[in-house]
């Protein structure tokens, strides 16, 4: 009996180790998994790499011995990649994720994307040719007016104040967007920052009065905004404090990458394609999700960069190595199956998005997806972590794996009582804010928008309205 218990304990311990490995495989990027495959093939003669998409010849065969030898070059390449600092999210990635939340015509989306990938390390476009050079003359819809809209939209994205010509202009844009800047601060920021040197209220007032005197000494000099502002030390001190509260380098916490490598060549988890023909029911095991009356969705595991590996057909004399090889292949299969199940669950839960496009996401949590496919929430989190560079290819357009998990303020019932867990997504609220601004015949402040949304059953604060409006690039129609 004791011996039986010991065997059972060993079996449980072995199972838990396999589970740990399986979870680790789910968390691995394609690059890390590629390295793991080559490393395991080099250590286990029972494993054989039979093809590698990165090799020049797709039909090249690998024996266990040649795998070990040829992996030297691969190892050198991997070491070089690993030596690079893990930079995290780039400015371009961060802005593109927000751009994908907005429903835009193709010409406007493409122009906005060009602007984003031409921003320098400071998040400005001043170091490139004039933005007008980005206009595609073969596309008549791309006009200077559209370019202006695109620039202003990006300026309102998080972080506020990018896509300006200079960092000085960024400060002015931040102040205008905030809507609470003192008039004197706006005047100083509008090309007169030199008046703040030194930033002492009494000296600033003297310089402003001298500036005003010199301005009106010119013949036929028109009135300017400064004529309507009281030049007191109190106002000057308030302006100085406001200006110093602005972010002098809004893009400072992000790395700039204008190569589009981070966004256009990401670690793709899976691809979602719309196929013709209706199906009676979902078939998650085969990556199929129902769609409309004449189409369905096919979810595929994106393993394009991973080498193909199998048990060497002529290797059978070392049963231990063969068993380890089988376990390794099982882990690879588990990762593939889990990723496909994840994709199917996301498509099924966010079907409106996959049918109608951006602007139609519903509130969705990782816990809900985990429950639907029978795994732990942490497993879904590992596969869709926001800080990773994992993307899902949706019919040719890339979206972060975390993009489909959205939250939103709670909706109230008509009785005024809070609903039990009923929510609307932040993306849907941005659409509602846009509709309110477009359909209103009178200017709307953030406070008024908040009141209208509350009347529609959406519990939301004015600060959240301001945040969502800025993220969606929607200008406040109310001027204080």
């Amino acid at each position: 009996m004791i011996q039986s218990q010991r065997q059972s304990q060993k079996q449980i311990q072995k199972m838990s180790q396999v589970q740990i490995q399986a979870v680790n495989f789910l968390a691995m990027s394609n690059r890390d998994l590629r390295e793991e495959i080559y490393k395991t093939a080099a250590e286990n003669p029972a494993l054989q790499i039979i093809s590698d998409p990165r090799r020049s010849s797709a039909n090249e065969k690998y024996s266990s011995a040649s795998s070990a030898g040829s992996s030297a070059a691969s190892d050198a390449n991997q070491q070089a990649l690993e030596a690079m600092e893990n930079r995290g999210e780039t400015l371009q990635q961060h802005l593109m994720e927000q751009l994908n939340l907005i429903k835009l015509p193709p010409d406007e989306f493409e122009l906005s994307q060009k602007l984003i990938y031409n921003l320098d390390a400071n998040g400005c476009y001043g170091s490139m040719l004039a933005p007008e050079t980005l206009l595609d003359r073969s596309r008549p819809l791309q006009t200077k007016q559209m370019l202006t809209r695109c620039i202003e939209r990006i300026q309102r994205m998080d972080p506020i104040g990018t896509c300006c010509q200079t960092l000085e202009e960024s400060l002015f844009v931040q102040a205008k967007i905030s809507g609470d800047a003192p008039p004197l601060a706006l005047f100083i920021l509008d090309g007169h920052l030199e008046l703040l040197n030194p930033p002492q209220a009494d000296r600033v007032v003297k310089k402003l009065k001298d500036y005003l005197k010199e301005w009106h000494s010119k013949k036929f000099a028109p009135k300017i905004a400064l004529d309507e502002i009281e030049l007191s030390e109190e106002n000057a001190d308030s302006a100085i404090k406001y200006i110093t509260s602005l972010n002098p380098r809004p893009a400072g916490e992000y790395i700039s990458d204008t190569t589009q490598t981070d966004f256009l060549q990401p670690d793709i988890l899976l691809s979602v394609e719309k196929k013709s023909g209706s199906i009676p029911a979902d078939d998650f095991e085969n990556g199929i999700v129902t769609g409309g009356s004449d189409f369905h969705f096919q979810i595929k595991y994106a393993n394009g960069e991973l080498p193909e590996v199998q048990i060497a057909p002529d290797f059978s004399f070392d049963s231990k190595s063969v068993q380890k090889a089988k376990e390794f292949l099982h882990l690879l299969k588990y990762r593939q199956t889990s990723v496909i199940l994840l994709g199917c669950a996301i498509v099924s839960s966010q079907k409106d998005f996959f049918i109608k496009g951006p602007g139609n996401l519903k509130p969705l949590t990782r816990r809900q997806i985990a429950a639907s496919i029978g795994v732990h929430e942490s497993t879904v989190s590992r596969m869709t972590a926001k800080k990773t560079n994992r993307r899902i290819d949706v019919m040719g357009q890339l979206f972060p794996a975390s993009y489909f998990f959205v939250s939103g303020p709670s909706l109230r019932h008509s009785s005024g009582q809070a609903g039990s867990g009923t929510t609307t997504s932040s993306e849907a609220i941005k659409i509602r804010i846009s509709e309110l601004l477009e359909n209103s015949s009178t200017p709307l402040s953030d406070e008024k928008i908040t009141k209208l949304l509350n009347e529609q059953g959406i519990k939301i604060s004015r600060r959240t309205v301001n945040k969502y409006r800025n993220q969606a690039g929607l200008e406040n129609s109310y001027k204080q």
Side-chain angles (χ1 to χ4, degrees), residues 266-281:
D267 184 17
I268 301 176
L269 275 177
L270 50 84
S271 63
V272 180
E273 296 180 8
K274 191 176 179 181
K275 299 285 189 177
S276 59
S278 63
I279 57 172

Side-chain angles (χ1 to χ4, degrees), residues 28-65:
M28 283 185 185
S29 65
N30 280 355
R31 190 191 74 187
D32 292 337
L33 183 57
R34 177 183 174 83
E35 180 187 7
E36 184 68 22
I37 291 173
Y38 269 99
K39 177 184 174 184
T40 306
E43 294 174 349
N44 189 344
L47 275 178
Q48 180 184 56
I49 297 177
I50 58 174
S51 67
D52 187 342
R54 287 191 178 182
R55 302 287 178 174
S56 57
S57 173
N59 296 321
E60 183 178 358
K61 300 294 182 179
Y62 297 83
S63 65
S64 58

